[in-house]
Amino acid sequence: MKYYLSILLTLCCLLSPSANASQTCGAECQLPQIHAYFKALDKVSQSGSSEQDVDNFLGLLHPNVNYIHLEYGANFDRASWRSAFIRNIARGAYQQPKEQRVLNYIVGKNHVAVEYA
């Protein structure tokens, strides 16, 4: 199954938290950020993940990140997103058997559209 994700890079300052959000980040810096995002998210999604894995994932993101998932009615700031991850870990929800793969991406101004499976 394929999924699409749009990452707003001014909110997802991955791998370069000290970078100025007004600076342009082209494909040469966006692709490593995308892969780091999915690698950290994969770690959280595996059986046996921990609060530290959640903190490592969220540590890649801008402090003002907001996770919105319309299908599930989710609208989380960083703290509530962390709490949701921890609740899911506690109830054993994460059992992802394999890593997510980036299939394709389109770089735009301050955004990257990502197709992943």
Side-chain angles (χ1 to χ4, degrees):
M1 180 175 289
K2 294 180 184 178
Y3 297 94
Y4 299 91
L5 172 71
S6 179
I7 299 173
L8 179 60
L9 290 176
T10 55
L11 292 180
C12 297
C13 294
L14 304 171
L15 297 179
S16 56
S18 61
N20 184 339
S22 65
Q23 293 175 338
T24 301
C25 177
E28 69 282 349
C29 74
Q30 291 174 351
L31 190 56
Q33 292 175 352
I34 292 165
H35 287 289
Y37 173 91
F38 282 109
K39 183 177 180 179
L41 185 57
D42 284 339
K43 183 78 171 152
V44 170
S45 301
Q46 299 292 325
S47 176
S49 61
S50 67
E51 287 188 35
Q52 186 59 53
D53 296 325
V54 172
D55 292 337
N56 291 343
F57 169 71
L58 292 174
L60 294 172
L61 307 177
H62 190 279
N64 294 329
V65 68
N66 195 18
Y67 174 76
I68 300 170
H69 194 300
L70 298 176
E71 185 177 339
Y72 298 119
N75 187 352
F76 300 140
D77 63 11
R78 185 184 181 114
S80 60
W81 196 11
R82 182 183 188 281
S83 295
F85 275 127
I86 302 305
R87 281 192 311 273
N88 284 336
I89 288 171
R91 68 180 180 85
Y94 297 129
Q95 302 295 321
Q96 183 172 307
K98 60 183 178 180
E99 295 180 353
Q100 300 177 71
R101 294 176 299 120
V102 174
L103 302 174
N104 197 6
Y105 63 95
I106 301 170
V107 177
K109 185 176 180 179
N110 295 325
H111 283 79
V112 177
V114 179
E115 178 184 20
Y116 66 97

